Amino acid sequence: MGTLLNGFELAKKRRTELKDKVDEQLNKGNRAPSLTVVLVGDNPASQSYVKSKKKQAEEVGFTSEILILDKDASELEVLDTVTRLNNDKNVDGILVQLPLPKHINEDTIILAISPEKDVDGLHPLNVGLVTLNKGGTKPCTPKGIMTILNEYDIELEGKNALVIGRSRLVGQPIASLLLHKNATVTIAHSRTKNLEQLIAEHDIIVVAVGIPDFVKASSILPHHVLIDVGINRVDGKIVGDAEHESYEKAAYATPVPKGVGPMTVVSLLENTFETYLRRIEREEI
Ligand code: GUN
């Protein structure tokens, strides 16, 4: 029986620490940090994610707003909204919830967000800095994964890490972050052959493909560290990308729910707070 990495409790602890830091700034006479989330359309999963982001932001003492644009809003309307937020002194962090409706080019919108206010770490400038290990804002889910691995003192140096999935939100950035900690990283994806064998040859398995039960419990070995990033709704229940029985077979595993998910949101809040502090330093607030 392995150890479950409790993202739910760790996120709670980090929110408490963050709230103390926010209170410290308020006591100095500074205004609260502020996060604006832009939601285009009415995707039910996205609606629930953005509500949770706003609620948790308010719990740590931020001000937070959700701007909802119609699902038929034009690319220009979304760009105008982003530009307005870039220029708004009272906004520290901007997050445009993905996915966007198909008629809107995600790259165009992400490129328009001021890199300084890009608390999602998706702007190409931040992607470049993070990839080069030269600073930059880290994307929220990979940052949350690294926080949880660090909290449980999981050794990364010299370990073989297999990242299954190559998305901009998770697969590509987590591969960079693991590499910077001196893991030997392999990225697998939908065209990869012999996945079972690759899993057996690696120590750390990060799965982020969005397919329920994609990693079979039978392929998990007692030395594995299993990071399950999946959030899939099956018969009204949230399940991960790995079979539920895999968690107890691994040495360490993040379960779904209560593993990586809560760490993503607290990382967003931490990114927003860091942006806010930088803006105070630069006297932009
Ligand atoms: N959709 C699912 N996860 C995320 C995220 O971390 N950021 C954004 N912008 N959209 C998402």
Side-chain angles (χ1 to χ4, degrees), residues 49 53 95-99 120 122 140-141 169 264:
Y49 292 147
K53 287 169 185 174
L95 180 145
V96 177
Q97 185 68 22
L98 303 178
D120 228 2
L122 298 182
C140 306
T141 300
L169 281 170
T264 295

Side-chain angles (χ1 to χ4, degrees), residues 18 23 38 42 53 66 91 107-108 114-115 121 129 134 174 183 198 204 206 214 216 219 236 245-246 250 275:
L18 194 52
D23 287 344
V38 179
D42 50 13
K53 287 169 185 174
I66 302 174
V91 171
D107 293 325
T108 306
S114 158
L129 289 169
K134 302 275 184 205
I174 191 67
L198 276 177
I204 297 158
V206 181
F214 185 78
K216 305 296 173 206
S219 54
E245 302 73 45
S246 3
T275 299

Side-chain angles (χ1 to χ4, degrees), residues 5 11 21 28 52 93 105 108 122 126 154 163 194 201 220 224-225 229:
L5 305 175
K21 291 184 192 167
K28 283 190 195 168
S52 158
N105 186 322
T108 306
L122 298 182
N126 285 316
I154 292 173
V163 176
N194 298 329
E201 289 166 356
I220 296 301
H224 278 140
V225 176
V229 185

Side-chain angles (χ1 to χ4, degrees), residues 255-277:
V256 177
K258 300 197 172 183
V260 172
M263 294 305 299
T264 295
V265 186
V266 78
S267 300
L268 169 69
L269 304 180
E270 290 174 349
N271 279 348
T272 305
F273 187 73
E274 283 160 27
T275 299
Y276 159 83
L277 285 185

Side-chain angles (χ1 to χ4, degrees), residues 170-186:
V170 186
Q172 298 211 10
I174 191 67
S176 294
L177 297 183
L178 290 167
L179 184 63
H180 301 328
K181 293 289 179 191
N182 298 319
T184 302
V185 182
T186 306

